[in-house]
Amino acid sequence: MKIKAILYPQSASRLVLRDLPDVHEVSAVDAEGRLTTLLDGPSSQLVLVEDGALGDSTLQQVEEAVRRHPTTTFVLLAQHHTPEFLLRAMRVGIREVLRVPLAERQLLEVIERVEAKQSGAQPPHACQVLAFLPCKGGNGATFLGANLGWILAERSRVLLIDLNLRFGDALSFVHDAEAPSTLADVTRHIARLDAALLASSCVRASPNYAVLAAPHDPSEAMDVTPADIDALITVAVANYDFVILDLDRSLDPVAIRALDRCDRIYPVMQASVTDLRNAQKIKELLRGLGYPPDRVEVILNRHDKGSEITLEQVRRALGSTPVTTVPNAWVDASTSANRGDPIAKRAASSSLTRALALLARALQPAELPRGWVARFFGRGA
Ligand SMILES: Nc1ncnc2c1ncn2[C@@H]1O[C@H](COP(=O)(O)OP(=O)(O)OP(=O)(O)O)[C@@H](O)[C@H]1O
Ligand SMILES: [Mg+2]
């Protein structure tokens, strides 16, 4: 398939033309031209933007272009970037960053992904990828994600991937021993990753529940690249019914690449002003990244009807984003967390278990509930 690509500005051609196979149709915008005008012509599937050309006004143009062309892939060719700049680029919706000079095949891989997207050749999406991210440290994102996984695994094959690459502790919520291997071992051998290697690198928290633990040594996080995470998720979705990603708040390129693959994103907040502000910021950031709004569902954790900030206030502040509440159950949660024993196993009748079961049920609506889930809903429910 012939891909229509746009280069911005024209001078960026020196960086990439060698890597753009001439079967594709490439047009260029000179530095004075408006990117949006060029995009108004015949549809382009790929836009390559050089970072040196990105001032405030061009960033605005890119933002407008991303909004108007949600199916186009925007790539930043990064030569002079700082982390702040990368974040700004991501905010306006640029999802892929390639360092220049390009490594061999890097651009070709992007083109192959664009081609697959155009031809609809991606595998049918039977697997659901869910991400949990805390609006503030300690909000319960890992606790909820890890425990939801355990409940889902009653009926489905579930993989939890700990993407808190520096200080991940997701495994400890559902299992009481150390992981013999971690995500760092998997990404070190990413080229030969397959279902068997992935399964053998995980800890089994229950018969259907695999957990890929975060690296033991925080310094190993630096070796993990967005491409590694992409490859890992590709193998994961082909082999599990649910993939749960536990994220921290550093929405860096690795996390963004993971979020790109998500069907649902759950920012986890508590009822505080700081959390509300952060939830709004995260919502905006996710919108800027071009994710459809219906992919995001905020969880108001440790909800207490008597709290100063009410559910209505949270809902009003977050507009159309759905907000689901999970009750406060400190004793049940901390006993489960301290012992590495899933809450559904340790405290099956807890209000917190019930809330998680409801969440699981919404994600697995088709079949009748089984096992302990049935105790809450009844066989005929
Ligand atoms: N609904 C709840 N009620 C009471 N306590 C809860 C609830 N949910 C989680 N907790 C408690 O909150 C603690 C912290 O949660 P967790 O580690 O999941 O936070 P986090 O959002 O992942 O933050 P970080 O990744 O920054 O540590 C857990 O150990 C658990 O005991
Ligand atoms: Mg966490």
Side-chain angles (χ1 to χ4, degrees), residues 10-34:
Q10 195 153 23
S11 55
S13 62
R14 75 190 186 286
L15 303 175
V16 292
L17 270 189
R18 180 183 58 98
D19 302 276
L20 265 181
D22 52 12
V23 288
H24 301 297
E25 207 176 284
V26 184
S27 10
V29 193
D30 63 35
E32 289 78 44
R34 281 191 67 80

Side-chain angles (χ1 to χ4, degrees), residues 134 141-142 164 169 246-247:
T142 306
N164 285 264
D169 57 354
D246 181 37
L247 294 167

Side-chain angles (χ1 to χ4, degrees), residues 94-95 186 271 342:
I94 294 182
R95 312 255 288 268
V186 168

Side-chain angles (χ1 to χ4, degrees), residues 134 137-143 164 173 301-302 326-330 333-334 337 352:
N139 271 359
T142 306
F143 179 91
N164 285 264
F173 286 89
N301 193 21
R302 305 192 62 184
V326 171
N328 187 29
W330 175 250
S334 51
L352 178 47

